[in-house]
Amino acid sequence: MADAAALLRVVGVRKAFGGIQAVDGVSFDLPCGEIRALIGPNGAGKSTFFNILTGQLRADGGTAVYRGRELLGLAPHAVWRLGVSRTFQVTATFATLSALENVRVARLSHVGRSRALLTPARGLETERSLALLDQVGLGDQAERAAGVLAYGDLKKLELAIALANDPELLLLDEPTAGMAPAERGALMALTAAIARQRHLTVLFTEHDMDVVFATADRIMVLHQGRLIAEGAPAEVRVHPEVQAVYLGAEA
Amino acid sequence: MSEPLLELREVHACYGRSHVLHGVSLTARRGEVVTLLGRNGAGKSTTLKAVVGLADVTGGTIGFEGRRLSGLATHEIARLGIGFVPEDRRIFSELTVVENLRVGERRGGGRWTLERVFGLFPQLRELARHRGGSLSGGEQQMLTIARTLMADPKLLLLDEPSEGLAPVVVRALGDNIAALKREGLTILLSEQNLKFARRLADRAYIIEKGQIKFEGAFARLDADESVRRAYLSV
Amino acid sequence: MSPSLILIQLLSGLAHAMVLFLIASGLSLIFGVTRIVNFAHGSFYMLAAYLTYTLTAALPLGGGSFYVAVLLAAAAVGAVGFAVETALLRRVYRAPELYQLLLTFALVLVVADAVRFFWGTENKTGPAAPGLAGSVPIAGQLFPTYDLALIALGPVVAAALWGLFYRTKWGILIRAATQDREMVAALGVDQAKLFTSVFVLGSFLAGLGGALQVPRQALTNVMDTSIIVEAFVVVVIGGMGSVPGALLAAVVIGVVDAFGVLLLPKASLVMMFVVMAVVLIVRPWGLLGRPEAQARTAGGALAGGSAVGVPRAWVVAVLAALVAVPPLLPTFYVWVLVEILAFALFAASLHLLMGTGGMVSFGHAAAFGLGAYGSALLMHWAKAPMPLAFAGAPLVAALCAALYGYFCVRLTSIYFAMLTLAFAQIAYAIVHQWYDVTGGDNGLLGIWPAPWLAAPLRYYYLALTASAVGITLLALIGRAPFGLTLRAVRDHARRAEAVGVNIRVHQWTAFVVAGFFGGLAGATFVFLKGSVFPDYLAVRMSVEPLVMVLLGGVQVFAGAPVGAAIYKLLDTVATRYTEYWQVVLGAILMVLVLVFPRGILGVLSERRRG
């Protein structure tokens, strides 16, 4: 692999819950500009791994170096400040805030004005926030509360929030889970288009194989906390161990 | 062909906001084992939860013995004779094995007694006084099935019972479920493990993105590699 | 300290612990299964004590009267529990927990007035327990026989409860439901019946505790609040929902109390709260408690819609009236208005925490009282001129808030609430017991405004300025990036930290700001009354603004001042016409919770939006 171009280098990341090794020595390089999928059955450790990268869980060991900075051990807000952004498996938005305010909160944080006490927030970061909503196709929903948005729109809103710090690395945890079938491909195509246009590096988990094979440059397969395969989509599709994990062992 | 015991018609439902059904129809006839296959997040668990009133049903109808279940509370549905065995097992870890079993016990007693349950799961008899939380994964799976049996169900909903278990444990579990089938229990089995499901089930449904994509005998599924590839493999 | 004294103190600590255990185990049991934090638990305790007092006198059973009365009183209170659960609580199980709390608080008010109505306000000395009235010599000292009997009874009750939980089907269901209610339902168990039975048992235990307390303690009208606070402390230390935890914590608190009185008489009231604070900081879920599977923030569930503003014209009209009308009013009403203004600001400052921040404080009295004492101490000891003392209050309150808020914001939901309560009680105990400086319960007198501000109207306009400026600033803060981000943290803390918000620091800042304005409200109040008392820091002072905010509607910022005005007017009017205004208030609260659970402005703004 082209070491010099690696935006993120993960080495030997481990995490155990009780006696169970949820993430068991995961190592890989993620080059700049690549869109990579991380797939695997439920309980394989995908979300745990994401939470470790973004500071929401503490790893038992290993390193994750992003642009020469160690990510592991940083608080979530510090990870975000470095330009690493994420979405959540169960959609996480601010339910009582309007779509516009949802993005505004993230923008205000990015420009370091979250703690301004007396200026009305209404006039701040509006243009940039609206532009982000437009980009994900939510421009017409800006004034509606996130709590009443359709599920697909929430997923888009979360994407807009995640883009608010002009990230270089985007971590998407099941970006299309729970969406109607027709919407999924569209959202992922949109995500990929934005990523290419902004030269973002993307790591995403996903259960919808149509989405995975249509979007990812490369695929990694996680099973019981270990990476069992990594490669181009065509290679992974025919990988015998991957087949076994997904179909249930025939032997 | 016997009458349908459970019948879902065009069911729309959601569990949380991310697990959604878009019009699921399926039936399970008396004495039959039906399996619901699909990948993670396809809607298997939500389908089972919708039946017992743990997911919000927003459209369609669910019938059991010809009676509509809508508007019934979870405990009322359970008392009609539907036993739900959740994917994450949810045994009462602070209670002993016997106490776990007694939670489901019917007043006046049903067809299932402690003795009979221990007959089916001999390991549980030895663990009777142990705390639920101290059991291994396989033992917990047996306990959660046994506990549900104590409530004397006519229909058993099993959510991915083989998940996370070692192959030898899966085989033993398969024997247990086969025994229940011989007892005449109707079972709706959600699974990702094709081999496990094939051994037990008469018919299969495949669910994908909250919709049923295939319905038929296992032989047909085995013959149709394109279906398997499209919905079950990577 | 001699060994015999240690033994005696230990024994009297244990006797108290047994009564505490009865009450706290009931409270913990109810919370564990139904998730209801029952404020009225102490009222049930008080009710049983008074019933025992009356029944003992009325029953024609000679020496046996007392013992029969104890059982009858406890059973009667169990029956009250049945009525309360089936008629009231059953309707709010799905409501946000704060509304449940408000409903049980309404019960506190109703029971308190019922007790005053039937038994009067004078303290009553209960009968001695026949056959156990004397003392026995232990290690050369005399120890009450009755306390010894209580110590013996404690293990019997604990064993009976143990048998109930571990040897009956009902106990199995209760323990199962404490762990996973949904799964219990999926196994065919009717939760409604289970909840009712648990509530009845819990109430019975509270009743038993109250009845058994009669020979040990004079009966007073305030024994409900003193015991509920202590019981909460025990439950929180033991771990909410854990009955063994309640036993352990009751013994700890009983013994700490007994030795505290002996060793640190000046700090005895503080001890229990210090223990609780330490436990919560080290073990946030109590000694034997378990972390909530999903810590839901009380406020998050409360804030249904997005914040709704009140039309600016209304605000201007109200302000204009507040400027123009008072010169036309009799002095009495001017003073009433000043009090309303102080509480409007106090409630608005709490709204920043519980409405905007979703952090429900049970101890906001600390801000109010520390502000008040700050002013009073500055004047009394530092001889500061009044304007300086007035301005110093919010700074004192903010400084203290920074100190204890640092610990509080590490916890969430009910544990946050309990830790704020603990710190408020610590502050209360300090001013109550630090006689030389604070005057103890005599308070400090002569805290009057400077002569040029002393005329009623002048002081009124000062209060109006302080309150209007404070409320305006709070409104601005709510709409500023700070407030918007605080709402975001309330709605989804993990999402907020994942967009770069340092949530602890953010919540801490909110805590300090709320303390600042709460302190300003306290200063406004202290110069109105001309004196300061420990009551300014009492539990009631924390509960009142909570009720005001909910009364007005927690979703709407203006709800806080509006709720304060309505509450204070009701208080004033009702007090004029009836001695029993708490019953009226309690009834109104019940109607509000059951019929308009979103508060007055919440309902109005919904209508307006259609």
Side-chain angles (χ1 to χ4, degrees):
Chain A
M1 298 283 314
D3 285 350
L7 182 73
L8 176 71
R9 161 166 282 191
V10 175
V11 181
V13 169
R14 289 179 290 114
K15 175 78 189 175
F17 294 108
I20 297 159
Q21 201 68 37
V23 176
D24 192 4
V26 168
S27 306
F28 63 90
D29 280 1
L30 188 58
C32 259
E34 187 175 303
I35 297 182
R36 185 176 297 184
L38 176 65
I39 65 172
N42 267 350
K46 303 184 298 290
S47 287
T48 303
F49 179 68
F50 266 37
N51 288 337
I52 288 171
L53 277 188
T54 55
Q56 259 136 352
L57 276 178
R58 196 168 284 273
D60 298 335
T63 62
V65 177
Y66 165 81
R67 290 197 160 278
R69 298 281 302 269
E70 176 62 58
L71 289 185
L72 304 191
L74 295 181
H77 61 91
V79 172
W80 196 75
R81 299 236 162 270
L82 292 178
V84 180
S85 206
R86 70 166 297 176
T87 66
F88 291 84
Q89 184 177 352
V90 178
T91 321
T93 57
F94 310 120
T96 68
L97 274 55
S98 71
L100 174 60
E101 286 172 324
N102 265 270
V103 182
R104 177 152 35 216
V105 164
R107 282 295 308 167
L108 286 167
S109 169
H110 180 54
V111 299
R113 300 206 58 185
S114 293
R115 295 168 72 189
L117 272 180
L118 296 176
T119 338
R122 183 168 300 188
L124 301 174
E125 292 297 318
T126 307
E127 258 175 57
R128 292 295 302 271
S129 303
L130 280 174
L132 281 165
L133 285 176
D134 277 335
Q135 193 163 22
V136 299
L138 278 184
D140 53 339
Q141 307 279 332
E143 294 303 329
R144 297 186 67 205
V148 302
L149 290 182
Y151 192 76
D153 287 345
L154 276 182
K155 286 282 187 188
K156 291 178 188 166
L157 177 57
E158 224 195 334
L159 181 61
I161 295 170
L163 291 170
N165 64 336
D166 301 323
E168 286 184 84
L169 174 59
L170 197 54
L171 304 169
L172 308 173
D173 198 355
E174 296 196 26
T176 73
M179 293 177 72
E183 289 181 288
R184 295 182 182 221
L187 177 64
M188 216 46 215
L190 173 72
T191 308
I194 292 173
R196 307 254 186 246
Q197 178 204 334
R198 295 181 167 218
H199 306 292
L200 293 181
T201 309
V202 179
L203 179 62
F204 73 104
T205 70
E206 183 58 60
H207 285 305
D208 186 333
M209 292 305 135
D210 299 343
V211 165
V212 170
F213 284 98
T215 316
D217 298 325
R218 288 173 75 79
I219 298 173
M220 299 189 291
V221 185
L222 196 63
H223 180 53
Q224 296 181 345
R226 292 167 177 275
L227 284 181
I228 59 169
E230 179 187 338
E235 296 162 21
V236 169
R237 206 189 274 275
V238 297
H239 194 287
E241 204 178 340
V242 175
Q243 287 290 329
V245 167
Y246 264 84
L247 281 166
E250 294 282 321
Chain B
M1 193 107 314
S2 62
E3 53 170 318
L5 185 67
L6 176 74
E7 185 163 27
L8 277 71
R9 273 197 206 147
E10 282 297 308
V11 171
H12 292 253
C14 57
Y15 182 70
R17 289 199 69 173
S18 59
H19 298 83
V20 186
L21 303 185
H22 303 280
V24 167
S25 300
L26 62 78
T27 55
R29 298 188 192 87
R30 224 175 263 281
E32 188 178 41
V33 177
V34 177
T35 185
L36 183 60
L37 301 167
R39 296 192 188 106
N40 284 332
K44 301 189 296 294
S45 289
T46 309
T47 305
L48 302 195
K49 283 179 176 145
V51 173
V52 289
L54 292 176
D56 294 326
V57 176
T58 53
T61 60
I62 302 175
F64 180 70
E65 294 191 307
R67 173 176 179 176
R68 280 184 63 166
L69 297 184
S70 63
L72 292 186
T74 296
H75 76 270
E76 292 169 319
I77 295 173
R79 286 181 185 182
L80 289 178
I82 300 182
F84 172 55
V85 179
E87 182 184 8
D88 41 1
R89 290 160 206 162
R90 291 168 75 165
I91 55 147
F92 305 110
S93 59
E94 295 301 304
L95 273 56
T96 64
V97 166
V98 169
E99 288 172 338
N100 264 280
L101 293 173
R102 292 196 58 203
V103 172
E105 192 177 32
R106 278 279 165 278
R107 197 175 298 168
R111 293 175 306 135
W112 288 90
T113 59
L114 277 179
E115 270 313 302
R116 226 179 127 211
V117 163
F118 285 149
L120 184 66
F121 300 102
Q123 301 99 306
L124 292 182
R125 189 196 301 274
E126 284 152 38
L127 297 164
R129 303 273 157 219
H130 289 237
R131 270 179 62 251
S134 69
L135 270 51
S136 72
E139 290 158 357
Q140 290 194 3
Q141 187 61 60
M142 289 173 191
L143 177 56
T144 182
I145 294 175
R147 181 179 69 181
T148 310
L149 289 176
M150 291 294 287
D152 206 12
K154 299 168 191 159
L155 169 70
L156 203 53
L157 309 174
L158 296 175
D159 198 0
E160 297 205 36
S162 76
E163 193 199 336
L165 301 181
V168 55
V169 181
V170 171
R171 208 168 305 131
L173 186 69
D175 293 342
N176 294 142
I177 297 173
L180 291 176
K181 182 182 180 181
R182 283 194 299 275
E183 293 270 346
L185 212 58
T186 309
I187 297 173
L188 176 56
L189 170 72
S190 112
E191 258 307 332
Q192 287 197 69
N193 184 331
L194 204 58
K195 186 187 171 200
F196 182 75
R198 183 190 294 115
R199 179 182 158 196
L200 297 166
D202 304 304
R203 286 188 304 127
Y205 290 88
I206 293 178
I207 189 168
E208 166 79 356
K209 299 173 191 177
Q211 295 176 324
I212 298 289
K213 299 290 186 181
F214 170 90
E215 174 188 355
F218 247 98
R220 245 188 74 206
L221 182 58
D222 284 336
D224 192 342
E225 198 191 330
S226 66
V227 171
R228 275 182 295 147
R229 181 164 291 283
Y231 302 119
L232 300 177
S233 70
V234 285
Chain C
M1 193 160 36
S2 71
S4 67
L5 190 58
I6 292 180
L7 180 65
I8 292 294
Q9 284 307 116
L10 193 65
L11 286 175
S12 73
L14 284 177
H16 183 51
M18 289 314 141
V19 174
L20 264 184
F21 165 64
L22 284 176
I23 298 146
S25 62
L27 189 61
S28 202
L29 188 61
I30 290 171
F31 175 80
V33 177
T34 67
R35 299 280 127 181
I36 294 241
V37 175
N38 183 21
F39 241 110
H41 206 67
S43 309
F44 292 169
Y45 158 90
M46 174 167 75
L47 194 58
Y50 277 95
L51 282 173
T52 306
Y53 171 84
T54 299
L55 285 172
T56 307
L59 288 172
L61 298 172
S65 294
F66 169 73
Y67 298 101
V68 176
V70 165
L71 290 178
L72 281 180
V77 167
V80 170
F82 176 83
V84 165
E85 200 278 343
T86 49
L88 297 175
L89 293 178
R90 187 168 287 186
R91 298 163 197 272
V92 297
Y93 281 128
R94 283 169 182 278
E97 56 195 22
L98 253 188
Y99 290 110
Q100 303 168 352
L101 202 68
L102 201 58
L103 191 61
T104 62
F105 179 69
L107 278 171
V108 171
L109 296 174
V110 171
V111 174
D113 264 3
V115 166
R116 283 205 305 147
F117 180 78
F118 288 111
W119 285 283
T121 54
E122 271 174 41
N123 291 2
K124 301 218 181 308
T125 311
L132 300 170
S135 298
V136 283
I138 294 178
Q141 311 240 7
L142 284 178
F143 189 76
T145 315
Y146 185 74
D147 281 12
L148 217 50
L150 274 186
I151 296 176
L153 182 67
V156 174
V157 173
L161 281 179
W162 186 88
L164 198 56
F165 289 145
Y166 289 89
R167 288 287 177 267
T168 68
K169 173 78 183 279
W170 182 83
I172 291 173
L173 294 183
I174 291 302
R175 287 187 294 134
T178 306
Q179 204 181 335
D180 190 340
R181 287 196 278 181
E182 209 176 68
M183 219 40 237
V184 169
L187 289 166
V189 178
D190 184 353
Q191 293 193 49
K193 282 185 190 156
L194 207 55
F195 283 18
T196 308
S197 62
V198 164
F199 202 82
V200 168
L201 176 67
S203 306
F204 174 84
L205 288 171
L208 194 58
L212 289 174
Q213 192 73 324
V214 169
R216 303 182 75 223
Q217 199 188 35
L219 308 186
T220 73
N221 288 161
V222 295
M223 61 194 287
D224 54 346
T225 25
S226 57
I227 198 73
I228 190 64
V229 172
E230 214 173 337
F232 271 144
V233 169
V234 168
V235 168
V236 167
I237 290 178
M240 301 200 65
S242 165
V243 173
L247 180 59
L248 179 62
V251 170
V252 169
I253 289 300
V255 172
V256 162
D257 261 2
F259 284 97
V261 170
L262 205 64
L263 298 174
L264 296 163
K266 295 204 164 192
S268 59
L269 284 177
V270 185
M271 292 296 285
M272 132 176 119
F273 297 102
V274 171
V275 172
M276 167 159 131
V278 169
V279 168
L280 279 184
I281 289 164
V282 179
R283 282 190 63 99
W285 294 282
L287 294 175
L288 300 184
R290 232 167 286 278
E292 298 269 305
Q294 213 156 25
R296 58 174 178 152
T297 50
L302 275 179
S306 59
V308 190
V310 171
R312 187 156 298 181
W314 295 13
V315 178
V316 172
V318 169
L319 254 183
L322 283 173
V323 171
V325 174
L328 313 173
L329 293 177
T331 306
F332 171 78
Y333 288 103
V334 174
W335 291 139
V336 169
L337 276 180
V338 172
E339 194 164 332
I340 288 177
L341 288 171
F343 275 88
L345 176 58
F346 187 28
S349 70
L350 179 62
H351 184 275
L352 180 70
L353 280 185
M354 64 183 275
T356 313
M359 305 147 77
V360 179
S361 169
F362 284 0
H364 203 45
F368 188 87
L370 288 170
Y373 269 93
S375 282
L377 292 173
L378 279 172
M379 268 187 96
H380 192 87
W381 293 105
K383 307 292 175 213
M386 177 266 173
L388 199 65
F390 191 92
L395 295 176
V396 170
L399 208 66
C400 295
L403 196 69
Y404 60 80
Y406 177 82
F407 299 102
C408 294
V409 297
R410 266 141 233 284
L411 304 182
T412 52
S413 70
I414 196 77
Y415 293 95
F416 169 84
M418 284 295 151
L419 195 56
T420 55
L421 173 68
F423 281 114
Q425 286 294 303
I426 290 173
Y428 172 83
I430 289 174
V431 302
H432 196 270
Q433 292 191 320
W434 201 4
Y435 235 85
D436 301 341
V437 173
T438 62
D441 49 9
N442 291 334
L444 294 172
L445 308 178
I447 315 298
W448 296 111
W452 59 278
L453 282 168
L457 274 180
R458 292 214 179 163
Y459 190 70
Y460 170 81
Y461 285 115
L462 173 69
L464 178 60
T465 309
S467 183
V469 169
I471 291 173
T472 306
L473 286 176
L474 281 164
L476 286 176
I477 290 170
R479 289 169 193 200
F482 178 81
L484 183 66
T485 306
L486 191 61
R487 282 166 61 202
V489 174
R490 171 197 74 195
D491 281 2
H492 206 306
R494 264 162 55 85
R495 174 79 264 175
E497 64 181 3
V499 294
V501 179
N502 189 334
I503 55 177
R504 293 273 166 277
V505 171
H506 215 85
Q507 291 182 323
W508 190 35
T509 311
F511 203 90
V512 174
V513 171
F516 180 91
F517 289 104
L520 186 58
T524 310
F525 190 72
V526 75
F527 288 104
L528 165 71
K529 297 292 178 187
S531 53
V532 67
F533 297 102
D535 280 0
Y536 292 11
L537 282 152
V539 178
R540 172 167 215 101
M541 208 51 124
S542 289
V543 175
E544 283 193 349
L546 234 145
V547 172
M548 291 167 185
V549 169
L550 291 172
L551 189 63
V554 69
Q555 304 90 345
V556 196
F557 174 73
V562 169
I566 292 173
Y567 183 97
K568 276 289 161 193
L569 283 175
L570 278 176
D571 182 350
T572 310
V573 173
T575 316
R576 282 199 131 185
Y577 291 101
T578 165
E579 228 181 305
Y580 301 104
W581 72 271
Q582 295 194 98
V583 169
V584 180
L585 182 63
I588 291 170
L589 285 181
M590 283 184 200
V591 171
L592 272 167
V593 170
L594 296 174
V595 188
F596 306 110
R598 295 169 65 85
I600 294 168
L601 288 199
V603 171
L604 287 181
S605 68
E606 242 166 43
R607 294 259 163 83
R608 205 145 50 81
R609 279 186 297 179

